Coordinates of all heavy atoms in Angstrom, one line a residue:
Chain B
R59 N -15.1 12.0 15.2 CA -14.0 11.5 14.3 C -12.7 12.4 14.5 O -11.6 11.9 14.2 CB -14.4 11.6 12.9 CG -15.6 10.8 12.4 CD -15.8 11.0 10.9 NE -14.7 10.7 10.1 CZ -14.3 9.5 9.8 NH1 -15.0 8.4 10.3 NH2 -13.2 9.3 9.1
G87 N -6.2 16.1 -6.8 CA -7.2 15.2 -7.2 C -7.1 13.8 -6.6 O -7.6 12.8 -7.1
Y131 N -7.9 15.2 1.0 CA -8.7 15.0 -0.2 C -8.4 16.2 -1.1 O -8.9 17.3 -0.8 CB -10.2 14.8 0.0 CG -10.5 13.6 0.9 CD1 -10.7 13.8 2.3 CD2 -10.8 12.4 0.4 CE1 -11.0 12.7 3.1 CE2 -11.2 11.3 1.2 CZ -11.3 11.5 2.6 OH -11.7 10.4 3.4
H141 N -23.2 21.8 -8.0 CA -23.1 21.6 -9.4 C -23.0 23.0 -10.1 O -23.6 24.0 -9.7 CB -24.3 20.9 -10.0 CG -24.2 19.5 -9.8 ND1 -23.4 18.7 -10.6 CD2 -24.9 18.7 -9.0 CE1 -23.6 17.4 -10.2 NE2 -24.5 17.4 -9.3
R151 N -20.4 10.3 -23.1 CA -19.4 9.4 -22.5 C -19.4 8.1 -23.3 O -20.4 7.5 -23.5 CB -19.7 9.2 -21.1 CG -19.6 10.4 -20.2 CD -19.5 10.0 -18.8 NE -19.9 11.1 -17.9 CZ -20.5 10.9 -16.7 NH1 -20.7 9.7 -16.3 NH2 -20.8 11.9 -16.0
Y161 N -11.4 4.5 -14.1 CA -11.2 5.2 -12.9 C -10.3 6.5 -13.1 O -9.8 7.0 -12.1 CB -10.6 4.3 -11.8 CG -11.4 3.2 -11.4 CD1 -11.0 1.9 -11.5 CD2 -12.7 3.4 -11.0 CE1 -11.8 0.8 -11.1 CE2 -13.6 2.3 -10.6 CZ -13.1 1.0 -10.7 OH -13.9 0.0 -10.3
Y256 N 20.0 -4.3 17.1 CA 18.6 -4.2 17.2 C 18.2 -4.8 18.5 O 18.1 -6.0 18.7 CB 18.0 -4.9 16.0 CG 18.2 -4.1 14.7 CD1 19.4 -3.6 14.3 CD2 17.0 -3.9 13.9 CE1 19.5 -2.8 13.1 CE2 17.1 -3.1 12.8 CZ 18.3 -2.6 12.4 OH 18.4 -1.9 11.2
E310 N 8.0 -1.8 23.9 CA 9.4 -2.1 23.5 C 9.5 -2.2 22.0 O 8.6 -2.6 21.4 CB 9.9 -3.4 24.1 CG 10.1 -3.3 25.6 CD 10.6 -4.7 26.1 OE1 10.7 -5.6 25.4 OE2 10.9 -4.7 27.3
E348 N 15.4 4.0 11.4 CA 14.1 3.4 11.9 C 13.4 4.4 12.9 O 12.6 3.9 13.7 CB 14.4 2.1 12.6 CG 14.6 1.0 11.6 CD 16.0 0.4 11.7 OE1 16.8 0.8 12.5 OE2 16.3 -0.5 10.8
P358 N 5.4 -6.0 12.7 CA 5.3 -4.6 13.2 C 6.4 -4.3 14.1 O 6.2 -4.4 15.3 CB 3.9 -4.6 13.8 CG 3.7 -6.0 14.3 CD 4.5 -6.9 13.3
E363 N 0.6 2.6 17.4 CA 0.0 3.9 17.4 C -0.7 4.2 18.8 O -0.9 5.3 19.2 CB -0.9 4.2 16.3 CG -0.3 4.7 15.0 CD 0.5 3.7 14.2 OE1 0.5 2.5 14.6 OE2 1.1 4.1 13.2
E374 N 0.9 7.6 17.7 CA 0.7 8.2 16.4 C 1.4 9.5 16.4 O 2.2 9.8 15.4 CB -0.8 8.4 16.2 CG -1.2 9.2 14.9 CD -2.7 9.5 14.8 OE1 -3.4 9.1 15.8 OE2 -3.1 10.1 13.8
Chain H
R59 N -8.5 8.8 21.3 CA -8.2 8.1 20.0 C -9.4 7.1 19.7 O -9.6 6.8 18.5 CB -7.0 7.2 20.1 CG -5.7 8.0 20.5 CD -4.5 7.0 20.6 NE -4.4 6.2 19.4 CZ -3.9 6.6 18.3 NH1 -3.4 7.8 18.2 NH2 -3.8 5.8 17.2
G87 N 1.4 -12.0 14.2 CA 2.6 -11.2 14.3 C 2.6 -10.0 13.4 O 3.7 -9.5 13.0
Y131 N -3.1 -5.5 16.0 CA -1.7 -5.8 16.2 C -1.7 -7.3 16.7 O -2.1 -7.6 17.8 CB -1.0 -4.9 17.3 CG -1.0 -3.5 16.9 CD1 -2.0 -2.6 17.3 CD2 0.1 -2.9 16.2 CE1 -2.0 -1.3 17.0 CE2 0.1 -1.6 15.9 CZ -0.9 -0.8 16.3 OH -0.8 0.6 16.0
H141 N 8.8 -9.1 30.3 CA 9.9 -10.0 30.0 C 9.8 -11.3 30.7 O 9.3 -11.3 31.8 CB 11.2 -9.4 30.3 CG 11.7 -8.4 29.3 ND1 12.1 -8.7 28.1 CD2 11.7 -7.0 29.4 CE1 12.5 -7.6 27.5 NE2 12.2 -6.6 28.2
R151 N 23.5 -13.0 18.5 CA 22.9 -12.4 17.3 C 24.0 -12.1 16.3 O 25.0 -11.4 16.6 CB 22.1 -11.2 17.6 CG 20.9 -11.5 18.4 CD 19.9 -10.3 18.3 NE 19.0 -10.3 19.5 CZ 18.5 -9.2 20.0 NH1 18.7 -8.0 19.4 NH2 17.7 -9.2 21.0
Y161 N 14.6 -7.2 9.4 CA 13.2 -7.0 9.9 C 12.4 -8.3 10.0 O 11.2 -8.2 10.1 CB 12.5 -6.0 8.9 CG 13.1 -4.7 8.9 CD1 13.5 -4.1 7.7 CD2 13.4 -4.0 10.1 CE1 14.1 -2.8 7.7 CE2 14.0 -2.7 10.1 CZ 14.3 -2.1 8.8 OH 14.9 -0.9 8.8
Y256 N -21.3 5.4 -15.2 CA -20.6 6.0 -14.1 C -21.1 7.4 -13.9 O -20.6 8.3 -14.5 CB -19.1 5.9 -14.2 CG -18.6 4.5 -14.0 CD1 -19.2 3.4 -14.6 CD2 -17.6 4.3 -13.1 CE1 -18.7 2.1 -14.3 CE2 -17.1 3.0 -12.8 CZ -17.6 1.9 -13.5 OH -17.1 0.7 -13.2
E310 N -21.1 13.4 -3.6 CA -21.4 12.7 -4.9 C -20.3 11.7 -5.3 O -19.2 12.0 -4.9 CB -21.6 13.7 -6.0 CG -22.8 14.5 -5.9 CD -22.9 15.5 -7.1 OE1 -21.9 15.6 -7.9 OE2 -23.9 16.2 -7.2
E348 N -18.1 -1.6 -7.1 CA -17.6 -0.3 -6.4 C -18.4 0.0 -5.1 O -18.4 1.2 -4.8 CB -17.7 0.8 -7.4 CG -16.6 0.8 -8.5 CD -17.1 0.6 -9.9 OE1 -18.4 0.6 -10.1 OE2 -16.3 0.5 -10.8
P358 N -9.6 9.7 -6.1 CA -10.5 9.2 -5.0 C -12.0 9.2 -5.5 O -12.7 10.1 -5.2 CB -10.3 10.2 -3.9 CG -9.9 11.5 -4.6 CD -9.2 11.1 -5.9
S360 N -14.6 7.4 -4.7 CA -15.7 7.1 -3.8 C -15.9 8.3 -2.8 O -15.2 9.2 -2.8 CB -15.5 5.8 -3.1 OG -16.8 5.4 -2.6
E363 N -14.3 9.4 3.8 CA -14.6 8.9 5.1 C -15.3 9.9 6.0 O -16.0 9.6 6.9 CB -13.3 8.4 5.8 CG -12.9 7.0 5.5 CD -12.3 6.8 4.1 OE1 -12.1 7.8 3.4 OE2 -12.0 5.6 3.8
E374 N -16.8 6.5 6.9 CA -16.0 5.3 7.3 C -16.9 4.2 7.6 O -16.7 3.0 7.1 CB -15.1 5.7 8.5 CG -14.3 4.5 9.1 CD -13.6 4.9 10.4 OE1 -13.8 6.1 10.8 OE2 -12.9 4.1 10.9

Side-chain angles (χ1 to χ4, degrees):
Chain B
R59 301 178 54 78
Y131 299 92
H141 279 287
R151 293 198 203 153
Y161 297 129
Y256 285 49
E310 291 178 353
E348 284 116 4
E363 272 76 3
E374 177 186 1
Chain H
R59 301 178 55 77
Y131 298 92
H141 280 287
R151 292 197 203 154
Y161 297 128
Y256 285 50
E310 291 178 353
E348 284 116 5
S360 199
E363 272 76 2
E374 177 185 1

